[in-house]
Amino acid sequence: GNSVTQMEGPVTLSEEAFLTINCTYTATGYPSLFWYVQYPGEGLQLLLKATKADDKGSNKGFEATYRKETTSFHLEKGSVQVSDSAVYFCALRMDSSYKLIFGSGTRLLVRP
Amino acid sequence: EPEVTQTPSHQVTQMGQEVILRCVPISNHLYFYWYRQILGQKVEFLVSFYNNEISEKSEIFDDQFSVERPDGSNFTLKIRSTKLEDSAMYFCASSERGPLAKNIQYFGAGTRLSVL
């Protein structure tokens, strides 16, 4: 079946460090891909998305590129801030379905 | 900014009791969803709802579960007879459009259900 695999956390970085959170997917077809972020005590917020191969989603300094060849959608940010500390979820959705399929989430801790 | 609102934030119940989790979706949205996350596990889809009927459901969503839009603003998830394994964070979501369009799902902060 369709699934998403994320790197295990927590990921601990110092402020201004470069961030990569790996995400790969398995799907029969070409899904839309998403990154959601969950700050403490809050719901899941859409961070960025890409709907077809080679699309780059970007928001708040975060970027991810839909790579069909490697079935990946890695999240990157050039310089993290303490306020980026949160749990990040990679997800996919097939066009024929309402269902978002999530990865297990990666907790990011950014130290001052 | 419009948001999805869920109440209560934490619900404690005894095994075998019925619970109703409530959600107020974003006002112009037409598609509604419930997901859950058991502690330490992935966020899992339960059900989607459109035009007053279930449009898709997972194998988790058995006869113990039901959903309803009782009025123009609320969307509820009912668990008829709770089990210990129903303890989880339940997320409500809504979207303006369906799966074949630009479907962006907006999530609430969740209701933590604890079954004792």
Side-chain angles (χ1 to χ4, degrees):
Chain A
N2 301 325
S3 65
V4 175
T5 302
Q6 283 181 244
M7 62 190 289
E8 295 266 341
V11 173
T12 304
L13 296 173
S14 298
E15 205 164 24
E16 299 184 4
F18 184 86
L19 168 72
T20 300
I21 299 178
N22 289 338
C23 170
T24 57
Y25 68 89
T26 301
T28 51
Y30 302 108
S32 294
L33 300 173
F34 306 84
W35 277 100
Y36 278 82
V37 58
Q38 185 179 31
Y39 299 103
E42 299 185 17
L44 299 164
Q45 300 176 25
L46 179 66
L47 181 59
L48 54 83
K49 63 176 175 58
T51 56
K52 61 184 188 298
D54 300 324
D55 268 2
K56 178 186 281 189
S58 60
N59 186 25
K60 299 181 182 178
F62 291 89
E63 291 183 341
T65 302
Y66 189 140
R67 302 280 189 205
K68 186 177 70 173
E69 316 78 37
T70 53
T71 62
S72 65
F73 193 56
H74 304 321
L75 183 68
E76 296 182 335
K77 187 176 185 182
S79 176
V80 294
Q81 306 300 311
V82 172
S83 57
D84 294 326
S85 297
V87 181
Y88 292 82
F89 293 90
C90 185
L92 70 81
R93 190 183 61 77
M94 305 306 294
D95 282 349
S96 57
S97 172
Y98 293 87
K99 173 173 63 178
L100 281 167
I101 297 171
F102 286 90
S104 52
T106 302
R107 182 175 299 278
L108 170 66
L109 301 172
V110 181
R111 298 177 302 198
Chain B
E1 184 175 321
E3 59 180 22
V4 176
T5 306
Q6 290 187 245
T7 55
S9 56
H10 189 196
Q11 172 115 27
V12 182
T13 190
Q14 296 291 323
M15 190 169 56
Q17 294 297 303
E18 175 184 286
V19 294
I20 297 176
L21 308 182
R22 302 181 191 279
C23 169
V24 178
I26 295 173
S27 61
N28 64 329
H29 285 187
L30 301 176
Y31 300 82
F32 314 110
Y33 313 85
W34 284 101
Y35 291 79
R36 79 172 184 191
Q37 185 179 29
I38 295 171
L39 190 64
Q41 298 186 24
K42 293 185 178 184
V43 176
E44 302 171 289
F45 171 81
L46 293 178
V47 66
S48 61
F49 190 84
Y50 169 68
N51 199 25
N52 279 320
E53 56 184 40
I54 291 172
S55 44
E56 187 175 352
K57 63 180 182 178
S58 72
E59 58 277 6
I60 303 168
F61 194 86
D62 61 20
D63 292 344
Q64 289 284 87
F65 293 91
S66 62
V67 289
E68 189 179 28
R69 189 154 163 82
D71 53 43
S73 58
N74 290 283
F75 179 52
T76 62
L77 174 70
K78 182 192 291 186
I79 309 175
R80 287 190 181 79
S81 176
T82 50
K83 308 184 194 68
L84 295 176
E85 55 265 35
D86 294 327
S87 295
M89 180 72 89
Y90 288 81
F91 292 105
C92 175
S94 68
S95 68
E96 188 177 3
R97 302 181 188 181
L100 296 178
K102 188 181 172 185
N103 173 287
I104 305 297
Q105 296 180 26
Y106 295 85
F107 284 75
T111 293
R112 180 166 298 285
L113 177 64
S114 299
V115 181
L116 307 179

